Amino acid sequence: MTTNYKHWRYTTDKDNLVWLTFDKAGESANTFSADAIAELVAILQEIRAANPRALIFRSGKDSGFIAGADINDFARAKSVEDGMAIIRRGWDMFHVIAALPFPTLAMVNGFCMGGGVEFALACRYRVALDDPKTRFAFPEVMLGILPAWGGIKYLPKLVGPTAALDMLLSGKSVDARKAKRIGLVDACVPARVLENAARMIALEAPPPHRPPLLQRLMNAAPLKSIVAAMARKQVAKRAPREHYPAPYVILDLWARYDGDPFAPPLTDPASPAALMQGETVKNLIRIFFLQERMKALGKESDFAAKHVHVIGAGVMGGDIAALCAMRGLSVTLQDQNAERLVPAMQRAAKLFQRRLRDKARIRDAMDRLVPDTAGDGVNKADVIIEAIFENLEAKRELFAALEKNARPDAILATNTSSLKLADIGAKLAHPGRLVGIHFFNPVAQMMLVEVVSGANTDAAIANQAAAFVRQIDKLPLQVKDSPGFLVNRVLGPYLNQAMQMVEQGLSAETVDAAATRFGMPMGPIELADTVGLDICIAAGKSLAAASAAAGQPATVPKKLEQLVAAGNLGKKSGRGYYTWREGKPVKGAPGAVSEELIERLLAPYLKEAQAVVAEGIVADADLADAGLIFGTGFAPFRGGPLNYLRSKNG
Ligand code: NAI
């Protein structure tokens, strides 16, 4: 017999084993909202009274186990009291589970995030589905909050502080196999035996997992404070406490209060309350919702590609093709001759090894990526992406030829950075089919992809392109065809300003330090060296032409011209503004950085960010913020440039 609640249902089987299913009403993923928690607490009372042999928690969603707490609840919290009440709710519930007198087990069939992991930790056992979609993570730290429902307390006890702090402080996920290796789950099994494995463990009730002795010692005095001090040093290398306090609070709470969020007084810097008053948490949650909004931009069309054909196997095309193959699509990659394809295939193999790890999955991805000098893939593809040299005539001819061979419903896309879509599509019979799908370098890392609509692009095609971008797990942002689109338009004048400051006698180190002091992940001079100074000069010239057309003269910095003329292109040639060793710039000490310097460096960035909104290049200020955070790394804790300007100007 099944007992049904709004979000939960349970049955008791012949072995007196209770199977309790979480199936959040009206939602595609399970989240712990206040009502789902309240219902569970009531159900647990009933089950406890029935005293079954064991209790197994499972998900009613194919997509995964539990996505965590409902972020909307946090977003609605108006005061420290509200925030602490949310923590109390989950903390108490998990203690009810942990105190049940019979074996409890979480059967994890996919993603398991934040509160989902804490839920699993509250159980005596955990069994995970051996599948790439099964991932465990504490993403709280990325939202500027902390896993205060028991994660900080119980994860280090279960897997030891080394693996636990790695997860808690970075937000990084572990897959089912790694979860087994570190002891987070008791078994990692394929789908066909998942239920059976869960049943066996729950019925046999072996002794619960414990980490190795050294890890247990690291969880107690005197080693614990040494471990915490070392971890604090690592955290400080990544970001200062005043910008990102959450990892510091997580460490303090673990080291000094054994992860109990209610142990420190509210005024103690180790209390979760320390995070609730700051702007960082508000801004990081804002970014989470902006990201959700960008994901939704990919849902306007139900387009789904099976086969992608990429033309041009250079820096961009090669990596775009590899990414698509990694995401499960069949890909043909075309270039002028076989030699040109070799480096792209080698880079693809490296990417698959790094990201997929598993031998069979690497082989499958390699099999999906087919070199195609003859262009045989053109007439089969659902999406054709052009990434050849930035040459208008060549692109125009190419598209005219493609249109004749491509399927009539295929998306025709260009990765151009600086040419006008209307010009590229000038010889097309149906210019509405041409859309820009503008990736950023390095393709595998950069989350943002600009979906560019030219004067003729059909809105439906742009929506299909956005759906395709989601399919390969990137964030699409619709932009209008205008020089530099969103990201390069804003970056160009900012990099130019940085280089002009170097022209005026400041060291590259000082200029970069001004940017990182503000919260940028990388200084503009280092960024220019990383992107490639030849690319910067080309982008700079096309933006300069656009500003000249608008009556604002822009000069190319002399040093930039000299460096490029001498073949010093930055990171890729080992020398640019910096000398590069082993992929890192060799830097001297920066000079003094004043507030005035930071303001002067950022002024052009902020001005362009306002201009792109005023000119309607993106739909609104929020999307401009989102694009600039994911496309340029604008200091996330400030919530985007326009949000920053709003908060600065009160
Ligand atoms: P690249 O010079 O590395 O590669 C271009 C490739 O296209 C070469 O392998 C070449 O043999 C091939 N090619 C040229 N004409 C061809 C044709 N007719 N048929 C087949 N293959 C042909 O160029 P990169 O840097 O990858 O740029 C490609 C496009 O992506 C350009 O439009 C560029 O503006 C754009 N882009 C470049 C970025 C970058 O950081 N490099 C960033 C974003 C966009």
Side-chain angles (χ1 to χ4, degrees):
M1 191 191 84
T2 305
T3 311
N4 285 307
Y5 283 77
K6 186 172 165 210
H7 303 299
W8 303 81
R9 58 177 181 270
Y10 68 89
T11 50
T12 308
D13 71 11
K14 58 179 181 358
D15 294 319
N16 196 20
L17 224 157
V18 174
W19 296 79
L20 175 54
T21 305
F22 189 11
D23 197 355
K24 189 96 185 272
E27 285 180 34
S28 59
N30 290 324
T31 54
F32 281 122
S33 51
D35 62 335
I37 292 179
E39 222 179 82
L40 177 60
V41 171
I43 293 168
L44 288 174
Q45 264 183 3
E46 276 173 36
I47 295 177
R48 194 190 159 111
N51 198 25
R53 188 144 164 217
L55 168 61
I56 297 180
F57 295 99
R58 61 189 302 169
S59 160
K61 313 284 186 202
D62 290 335
S63 59
F65 186 58
I66 296 170
D70 187 341
I71 312 265
N72 286 300
D73 283 356
F74 284 105
R76 278 192 291 264
K78 290 279 170 285
S79 62
V80 169
E81 288 69 35
D82 288 356
M84 292 307 283
I86 293 173
I87 297 180
R88 171 62 73 193
R89 204 151 65 209
W91 176 261
D92 285 353
M93 165 180 69
F94 292 145
H95 281 87
V96 171
I97 296 174
L100 289 172
F102 37 79
T104 47
L105 182 145
M107 191 175 91
V108 180
N109 65 320
F111 57 75
C112 179
M113 301 287 149
V117 186
E118 289 170 309
F119 185 61
L121 286 172
C123 296
R124 208 182 294 174
Y125 311 107
R126 288 144 296 278
V127 172
L129 171 65
D130 183 8
D131 186 282
K133 73 174 183 172
T134 305
R135 303 202 74 86
F136 296 83
F138 279 116
E140 282 83 350
V141 69
M142 295 194 274
L143 294 174
I145 53 180
L146 72 179
W149 284 355
I152 302 175
K153 186 175 171 89
Y154 294 107
L155 186 66
K157 291 195 192 340
L158 183 69
V159 305
T162 309
L165 292 179
D166 196 31
M167 284 181 75
L168 291 166
L169 299 175
S170 73
K172 272 191 297 200
S173 65
V174 298
D175 62 15
R177 289 182 191 181
K178 181 154 185 204
K180 171 75 180 89
R181 258 198 324 278
I182 64 176
L184 176 52
V185 299
D186 302 278
C188 160
V189 295
R192 69 195 145 76
V193 293
L194 183 65
E195 274 187 30
N196 221 19
R199 168 192 299 277
M200 296 301 284
I201 292 176
L203 291 177
E204 278 170 21
H209 173 82
R210 292 177 78 198
L213 178 64
L214 176 64
Q215 291 291 331
R216 294 208 298 274
L217 290 174
M218 283 162 69
N219 225 349
L223 278 189
K224 191 173 190 178
S225 57
I226 300 173
V227 174
M230 276 162 48
R232 205 170 287 117
K233 266 198 196 139
Q234 291 301 322
V235 165
K237 270 191 209 153
R238 287 205 298 265
R241 188 167 191 148
E242 63 269 30
H243 291 173
Y244 295 97
Y248 296 88
V249 178
I250 291 172
L251 268 176
D252 289 350
L253 194 60
W254 173 67
R256 292 172 41 214
Y257 296 100
D258 196 28
D260 177 350
F262 301 101
L266 291 180
T267 50
D268 189 314
S271 165
L275 298 174
M276 294 173 194
Q277 286 117 332
E279 285 292 300
T280 296
V281 62
K282 223 170 62 199
N283 287 335
L284 293 181
I285 288 179
R286 165 184 160 76
I287 294 174
F288 171 84
F289 284 116
L290 289 178
Q291 188 172 349
E292 293 300 297
R293 202 177 148 202
M294 286 168 104
K295 287 183 182 169
L297 295 177
K299 291 192 184 140
E300 300 283 316
S301 156
D302 54 11
F303 178 85
K306 288 200 185 74
H307 183 143
V308 179
H309 184 74
V310 180
I311 308 176
V315 176
M316 296 304 289
D319 288 7
I320 294 168
L323 175 78
C324 293
M326 189 169 79
R327 298 282 183 241
L329 296 167
S330 296
V331 183
T332 36
L333 175 58
Q334 182 179 354
D335 207 304
Q336 290 159 327
N337 52 52
E339 293 80 79
R340 299 234 183 210
L341 290 165
V342 173
M345 299 300 287
Q346 285 168 340
R347 286 205 309 281
K350 276 201 188 130
L351 174 75
F352 300 157
Q353 270 153 18
R354 212 171 52 236
R355 294 279 185 92
L356 300 176
R357 285 188 225 117
D358 179 77
K359 267 202 193 117
R361 294 174 62 210
I362 295 171
R363 192 198 52 223
D364 290 349
M366 259 348 261
D367 286 350
R368 284 192 294 268
L369 177 59
V370 179
D372 176 20
T373 42
D376 292 336
V378 172
N379 61 9
K380 300 182 192 74
D382 308 295
V383 180
I384 301 178
I385 303 175
E386 168 277 313
I388 67 167
F389 307 132
E390 193 72 329
N391 177 306
L392 177 58
E393 207 42 51
K395 289 192 196 259
R396 196 182 274 162
E397 293 306 321
L398 180 70
F399 275 106
L402 278 176
E403 191 182 31
K404 296 199 180 78
N405 295 327
R407 287 198 348 228
D409 58 344
I411 298 179
L412 301 181
T414 172
N415 187 45
T416 184
S417 290
S418 61
L419 301 171
K420 263 193 133 28
L421 259 68
D423 294 341
I424 296 176
K427 287 196 174 169
L428 290 178
H430 300 285
R433 289 176 71 183
L434 182 67
V435 63
I437 302 186
H438 186 234
F439 289 83
F440 294 92
N441 186 12
V443 173
Q445 267 127 284
M446 298 295 292
M447 287 298 290
L448 184 75
V449 174
E450 291 173 330
V451 174
V452 188
S453 286
N456 303 317
T457 309
D458 284 347
I461 298 286
N463 285 337
Q464 289 181 0
F468 164 69
V469 170
R470 271 314 291 148
Q471 199 185 346
I472 54 173
D473 206 20
K474 296 281 177 191
L475 298 173
L477 179 62
Q478 308 248 15
V479 297
K480 262 200 217 151
D481 189 6
S482 150
F485 312 130
L486 168 69
V487 166
N488 290 343
R489 160 84 182 267
V490 173
L491 270 186
Y494 165 64
L495 297 191
N496 187 53
Q497 174 80 336
M499 292 176 189
Q500 298 294 358
M501 289 166 95
V502 173
E503 265 347 56
Q504 290 153 14
L506 285 173
S507 70
E509 284 88 344
T510 308
V511 175
D512 278 351
T516 50
R517 193 77 53 86
F518 178 78
M520 298 300 200
M522 183 188 276
I525 302 288
E526 185 178 337
L527 179 63
D529 261 7
T530 306
V531 169
L533 299 182
D534 50 338
I535 306 251
C536 289
I537 214 164
K541 277 184 181 151
S542 85
L543 284 175
S547 26
Q552 312 154 351
T555 49
V556 178
K558 275 215 178 53
K559 179 156 184 181
L560 176 63
E561 257 172 340
Q562 287 160 358
L563 284 168
V564 173
N568 294 323
L569 306 181
K571 184 176 179 178
K572 61 186 164 191
S573 66
R575 186 180 284 261
Y577 277 86
Y578 293 105
T579 301
W580 288 74
R581 279 211 198 100
E582 287 164 19
K584 293 220 157 60
V586 181
K587 286 191 180 182
V593 171
S594 63
E595 282 305 311
E596 186 275 334
L597 185 68
I598 297 177
E599 249 179 55
R600 191 147 55 91
L601 173 63
L602 281 160
Y605 187 117
L606 298 170
K607 183 167 159 249
E608 290 303 316
Q610 288 171 299
V612 289
V613 178
E615 292 171 27
I617 288 162
V618 279
D620 56 49
D622 277 352
L623 285 178
D625 273 351
L628 290 167
I629 290 164
F630 291 104
T632 76
F634 184 90
F637 72 98
R638 298 192 190 271
L642 298 153
N643 183 66
Y644 166 69
L645 282 173
R646 268 199 308 271
S647 61
K648 192 170 131 209
N649 301 330

